[in-house]
Amino acid sequence: MKKYLSLQLSPVLQALGVPESIAPIFEKPRTESHGDLTTNIAMIAAKHLKTNPRQLAQQILEKLNLDKTLVDKIEIAGPGFINFRFSDKYYHAQLADILEKENQFGRSGTGNKLKTQVEFVSANPTGPLTVGHGRGAVYGDTVARLLEWTGYDVTREYYFNNAGRQMRVLGDSVRLRYLELLGEKIDFPEDYYQGEYIKEIAQHLIDLHGKNLKDEPAEGKFKQQAETEIFDDIKKTLARIGVKHDVFFNENTLYETGQVKEVIEELRKKDLAYDQDGAVWFKATAFGGEKDKVIVKATGEPTYRLPDIAYHRDKLRRGYELIIDVLGADHVATYPDVLAGIKALGYDESKIKVPIHQFVTILQEGAVVKMSTRKANFITLDELIDEVGADVVRYFFLMRGIGSHLNFDLKLAKEQSEENPVYYLQYAHARIASIIRLAESKGVDVSKSYDLSLLNQPEEISLMKLLSQFPDMVESCAATYEPHRLAEYLHDVAGSYHKFYHEHRVVGDDLNITASRIALCLATKTVLANGFSILGIHAPEKM
RNA sequence: GCCCUCGUAGCUCAAUGGACAGAGCACCGGACUUCUAAUCCGAUGGUUGUGGGUUCGAAUCCCACCGAGGGCGCCA
């Protein structure tokens, strides 16, 4: 429709002397009374032509000749908006389109199978996932789903490191608990992992090996067992909320394949790395950084930056054309170094996008809970799922923009789980399913023979309008990596349906009207179900 | 001290630079003999942190200040 309007509009604009650089932009007005699409072209162009916007709009309209079966009404409003209102017939055609495409409705080929990677979660296996990880997990997965719907070829990747200091401490934490369980007196350091799960892992080792590990080093069986068990739990937790990674990438690979070393050598060759105070530095200042950064410590160990740069080069080498790194706000300072490093190696860093999500603040009994895996005073994602269910968890994290500092009142979430917003959406779907069951039980053939032109009531038209916007919605959410707008949209669809339901009886005496309204219900059900599948929540047939 | 994200109804949050700033909770008043009341209808609620600037037009862009969270390490 936008295409059609621009096509009709551009010769008119040219005739009026509007420069070609000013192309009309159409948008959906916020309020329904302003029509279905609007353009501000008259206001923009008026400036160049030194004329009054409303007058110019009038001139445009006089020369514009549109298909009246599609566009019902054109109005000039406010300071000079031109508002287009489409005909019912246009929306009936849209409805037919939904019914035909069904679970494919909303999909597009925009992405052109672009090889894309979404990297998210990427928590090292030192403990259970927290609520904070949950936000990144759900967000990353949903962005991946959005990209799949719009025709991108998506790989979900999880990056981890099982070699660093964190993991050594983890292994030693298990070792000490192991000795403790065997009756030895131990001094458990404050900065070790305090969680109960460490004791459980230690107990498992006793079950498996008895006392035989007494003299085993921390980095051996202890670390290994901890990593295996914790990673297992992490994967299980993610699976509960519908998140599954295609690739688990171990940082260690980058050392084994020599890619880390390669990065240093190349940077040196380009004179972008140098030695000072026994360490190796990267000239980040050459790429707009505040100061140069250490990439290899005086001890010979690399800092996280070096493998990170090598990792991103590896992603590019694997042929990804679009790379999305989902990061939490605590990592905000790390990615400029990585991008600078990639640029230094001669790659196009604009292929790497880094959406950053703000923290989730947990309120418990009205007080802020400071989260720390080390101190084990976190609320695990598992516990949250236990309390409110996977659908609620996903929807809750998706219904807000990632830039907002999310306040999660745990007490409230538990208490209100019965009237959580997600049920509002799912109820609409279940309600439709129920009506269709009823219709079928009365012998109505819901699969064919309906006359969409019977749908002319205000509530029916409003609903059809919303439904027809679904593909645009998916498109723009995918382009901006903003799933929360889809969540809002679906909320509107559900609301519009509930209103329709209260005003009009679907299954009635008039078989023709019944059939057409059933068609509208089916189309609504399709849009809801398709939307839910992008958000990763269930579409219940019954509630 | 510097950098990043942000500040919108009592609370949690929306709003590609556009028209009267919107939802959900909470509170108040209505609607089940009728396809699911997990719903609907109505009412209340605002100087968009403050002060300037750009623009035909600002919650949105720019500057300053105030406040919140995060980051400024040869930790990740």
Side-chain angles (χ1 to χ4, degrees):
Chain A
M1 197 58 171
K2 286 181 186 175
K3 242 184 216 164
Y4 169 75
L5 289 178
S6 337
L7 215 63
Q8 299 299 311
L9 209 49
S10 64
V12 173
L13 293 173
Q14 263 176 38
L16 289 168
V18 177
E20 266 185 75
S21 58
I22 308 179
I25 292 169
F26 298 95
E27 53 188 25
K28 178 175 61 74
R30 265 214 292 260
T31 45
E32 216 176 314
S33 64
H34 293 144
D36 298 326
L37 269 187
T38 185
T39 180
N40 60 356
I41 185 71
M43 290 183 300
I44 307 261
K47 204 194 294 182
H48 289 261
L49 301 176
K50 302 210 164 100
T51 172
N52 176 308
R54 286 193 66 111
Q55 223 164 47
L56 181 63
Q58 189 58 46
Q59 286 170 342
I60 293 172
L61 288 204
E62 278 163 14
K63 289 184 191 284
L64 196 59
N65 194 9
L66 295 178
D67 184 346
K68 287 201 173 61
T69 61
L70 289 178
V71 179
D72 223 23
K73 205 164 135 195
I74 313 172
E75 274 177 334
I76 300 168
F81 292 103
I82 303 175
N83 297 334
F84 302 88
R85 184 174 299 281
F86 306 152
S87 64
D88 291 358
K89 193 179 157 196
Y90 170 75
Y91 285 111
H92 294 146
Q94 296 291 301
L95 196 63
D97 189 45
I98 299 172
L99 293 168
E100 192 199 315
K101 292 191 175 135
E102 232 188 349
N103 63 5
Q104 297 300 306
F105 180 69
R107 284 194 189 270
S108 75
T110 313
N112 213 3
K113 295 186 180 164
L114 194 74
K115 204 171 166 195
T116 303
Q117 184 207 65
V118 183
E119 183 215 323
F120 61 112
V121 187
S122 297
N124 285 339
T126 59
L129 293 179
T130 66
V131 170
H133 293 125
R135 189 175 194 185
V138 171
Y139 171 78
D141 180 63
T142 306
V143 167
R145 289 173 193 238
L146 276 166
L147 292 172
E148 284 166 347
W149 269 72
T150 46
Y152 291 77
D153 175 13
V154 183
T155 303
R156 292 163 173 80
E157 185 152 315
Y158 188 124
Y159 177 65
F160 71 99
N161 159 21
N162 58 358
R165 204 184 66 90
Q166 277 185 344
M167 294 299 290
R168 279 201 297 277
V169 172
L170 177 73
D172 209 33
S173 300
V174 174
R175 190 181 65 89
L176 289 179
R177 291 303 188 203
Y178 172 84
L179 295 177
E180 187 180 48
L181 285 170
L182 289 178
E184 288 192 25
K185 270 213 172 131
I186 55 130
D187 187 15
F188 200 80
E190 215 173 283
D191 61 345
Y192 270 35
Y193 292 92
Q194 307 285 337
E196 278 302 308
Y197 64 95
I198 299 292
K199 293 179 189 167
E200 287 170 22
I201 295 166
Q203 183 59 53
H204 295 159
L205 282 169
I206 290 175
D207 296 345
L208 286 169
H209 304 282
K211 298 178 184 175
N212 298 335
L213 303 178
K214 266 189 166 175
D215 301 317
E216 188 80 8
E219 297 215 46
K221 286 243 160 49
F222 292 108
K223 195 187 94 174
Q224 210 172 59
Q225 183 71 19
E227 180 187 338
T228 307
E229 287 197 25
I230 292 170
F231 232 139
D232 227 47
D233 282 343
I234 286 176
K235 288 177 190 171
K236 271 184 206 153
T237 304
L238 290 175
R240 289 181 74 192
I241 49 172
V243 175
K244 189 170 181 296
H245 290 84
D246 304 303
V247 177
F248 284 81
F249 192 101
N250 189 338
E251 179 185 316
N252 204 30
T253 312
L254 299 166
Y255 294 94
E256 288 165 356
T257 56
Q259 291 194 88
V260 172
K261 210 171 169 189
E262 200 183 339
V263 169
I264 307 176
E265 283 165 4
E266 246 179 275
L267 289 177
R268 276 193 203 275
K269 223 179 276 172
K270 295 188 174 186
D271 203 23
L272 292 168
Y274 59 90
D275 296 283
Q276 190 184 305
D277 306 330
V280 185
W281 297 68
F282 166 53
K283 273 190 192 169
T285 46
F287 301 92
E290 251 181 82
K291 46 188 170 185
D292 291 347
K293 300 288 173 66
V294 169
I295 50 176
V296 181
K297 302 185 230 173
T299 60
E301 269 183 305
T303 65
Y304 68 91
R305 283 182 199 96
L306 185 54
D308 267 9
I309 292 168
Y311 175 46
H312 281 80
R313 169 160 56 189
D314 183 77
K315 293 187 187 195
L316 290 162
R317 280 178 167 166
R318 278 186 271 159
Y320 291 114
E321 294 291 327
L322 175 62
I323 293 164
I324 300 174
D325 292 349
V326 177
L327 295 184
D330 54 337
H331 285 70
V332 68
T334 66
Y335 81 94
D337 293 336
V338 173
L339 293 187
I342 282 299
K343 203 173 172 186
L345 293 171
Y347 291 88
D348 178 6
E349 84 280 9
S350 72
K351 289 178 179 173
I352 303 171
K353 310 286 182 197
V354 187
I356 295 193
H357 65 86
Q358 293 302 312
F359 275 178
V360 181
T361 307
I362 296 288
L363 298 173
Q364 201 170 25
E365 310 294 332
V368 175
V369 181
K370 278 280 177 190
M371 306 272 267
S372 155
T373 304
R374 189 77 54 82
K375 290 177 187 159
N377 62 348
F378 50 81
I379 289 151
T380 68
L381 186 52
D382 259 324
E383 287 163 353
L384 188 65
I385 300 168
D386 289 341
E387 291 294 341
V388 298
D391 286 345
V392 173
V393 168
R394 277 196 77 115
Y395 190 76
F396 195 95
F397 284 136
L398 290 173
M399 64 193 285
R400 308 300 185 202
I402 54 166
S404 71
H405 302 266
L406 200 58
N407 272 333
F408 201 136
D409 191 325
L410 204 62
K411 206 175 161 192
L412 212 64
K414 288 176 188 176
E415 280 174 4
Q416 292 190 342
S417 64
E418 285 288 308
E419 43 191 85
N420 198 289
V422 70
Y423 294 118
Y424 183 80
L425 304 192
Q426 293 182 320
Y427 183 57
H429 187 272
R431 180 175 250 179
I432 293 170
S434 158
I435 288 173
I436 288 168
R437 279 194 299 272
L438 177 84
E440 278 170 342
S441 76
K442 291 198 173 182
V444 179
D445 184 353
V446 300
S447 64
K448 53 180 176 181
S449 72
Y450 39 77
D451 179 2
L452 296 181
S453 71
L454 295 173
L455 298 171
N456 54 20
Q457 297 298 301
E459 293 79 10
E460 294 167 339
I461 304 285
S462 297
L463 182 53
M464 284 189 284
K465 282 184 185 181
L466 263 178
L467 297 179
S468 73
Q469 288 161 14
F470 181 65
D472 272 353
M473 212 57 223
V474 175
E475 201 75 49
S476 81
C477 290
T480 55
Y481 317 132
E482 290 181 324
H484 75 275
R485 286 170 40 218
L486 184 63
E488 290 234 332
Y489 164 79
L490 292 171
H491 187 270
D492 287 347
V493 171
S496 184
Y497 181 78
H498 287 311
K499 280 193 180 88
F500 157 76
Y501 169 88
H502 276 272
E503 285 302 317
H504 305 290
R505 195 170 168 88
V506 176
V507 181
D509 298 333
D510 186 325
L511 286 180
N512 291 325
I513 289 181
T514 297
S516 62
R517 286 189 177 151
I518 285 285
L520 179 57
C521 287
L522 283 170
T524 308
K525 190 166 181 268
T526 290
V527 167
L528 288 175
N530 292 4
F532 291 175
S533 99
I534 294 173
L535 297 185
I537 62 178
H538 293 95
E541 296 290 316
K542 257 183 199 172
M543 278 176 80

